Amino acid sequence: MTMSDDDILAPRKSRSGSRSRATFSGTEARGPIIDQDGREIRPETLEQGFREFRSEFGQGPLGANPFGNLTREQRIARLEAIAKLLDVAFILPGTNIRYGIDGLIGLIPVVGDIITTAISLWLVREARALGAPWYLTARMLGNVAVDGVVGMVPLAGDAFDVMFRANMRNMRLLRRWLDKQPRL
């Protein structure tokens, strides 16, 4: 039994003329589960498909979960890569001036600066998760605040973003602190 397109787009009204007000929870669904071609799907098959999806998603393309279970060094490398992308990824042609997507996204008034400040705050949060002390995260937050506030000024703020490089400063602070820590 297949459904017509009319039944999908405009549900049938009951004989009394009003729509059904029945509520369903996920555990007490009534009737068979039907795929897009109108064929019935057995619940066991659906459950197995979800298990396979979860295991495939958790492994990632190279056998590692891209969203977690990273080593300390992998997390630091990720932070440094993001900081470089934000601050020094590109070179202005004909000059030796380096800039990143922070300077490019910052050209979008207000919204661009909010986005780049949010990414910079995430970097500080990750540094804190790596064990950075309060005084170090306070300095990092100060760099992000200066970058965010001055960056709001049209054009001059964007030039300041290119020269100040708050994310690279923060990674330098974090790297110096990490180098002083004993290796476990």
Side-chain angles (χ1 to χ4, degrees):
M1 178 179 139
T2 61
M3 297 177 72
S4 69
D5 289 342
D6 294 336
D7 290 338
I8 295 171
L9 299 175
R12 293 183 185 169
K13 293 184 179 181
S14 66
R15 293 178 194 226
S16 64
S18 64
R19 289 190 177 169
S20 172
R21 302 215 187 271
T23 59
F24 298 101
S25 69
T27 58
E28 62 177 43
R30 299 179 191 164
I33 301 170
I34 308 294
D35 70 2
Q36 65 187 13
D37 296 325
R39 293 184 298 257
E40 183 176 347
I41 301 173
R42 294 191 337 259
E44 306 84 42
T45 308
L46 193 62
E47 193 65 35
Q48 180 183 359
F50 282 131
R51 270 194 304 266
E52 289 173 5
F53 173 74
R54 273 188 239 127
S55 66
E56 286 175 13
F57 181 73
Q59 292 303 311
L62 300 175
N65 184 348
F67 302 111
N69 301 331
L70 296 176
T71 66
R72 183 179 178 97
E73 290 304 316
Q74 288 172 328
R75 291 173 75 181
I76 294 167
R78 178 178 63 179
L79 293 178
E80 286 178 341
I82 292 172
K84 285 179 182 177
L85 178 66
L86 285 170
D87 289 340
V88 293
F90 312 107
I91 298 175
L92 192 62
T95 68
N96 202 14
I97 299 173
R98 297 187 72 88
Y99 64 97
I101 61 171
D102 187 3
L104 295 175
I105 296 174
L107 292 172
I108 303 169
V110 182
V111 176
D113 294 307
I114 291 172
I115 291 170
T116 56
T117 300
I119 296 170
S120 297
L121 288 173
W122 177 80
L123 290 173
V124 174
R125 182 193 148 281
E126 284 291 306
R128 185 69 180 156
L130 286 169
W134 67 270
Y135 64 87
L136 184 68
T137 53
R139 282 190 66 187
M140 293 171 82
L141 286 172
N143 287 338
V144 172
V146 168
D147 187 42
V149 170
V150 177
M152 293 276 186
V153 178
L155 295 179
D158 297 317
F160 179 79
D161 278 345
V162 169
M163 297 305 186
F164 186 65
R165 300 178 183 160
N167 299 300
M168 291 302 293
R169 286 174 186 255
N170 287 343
M171 285 311 300
R172 203 172 317 120
L173 288 171
L174 180 64
R175 181 51 81 181
R176 283 185 195 147
W177 177 79
L178 287 170
D179 289 342
K180 292 178 185 175
Q181 301 307 307
R183 304 251 181 210
L184 298 177

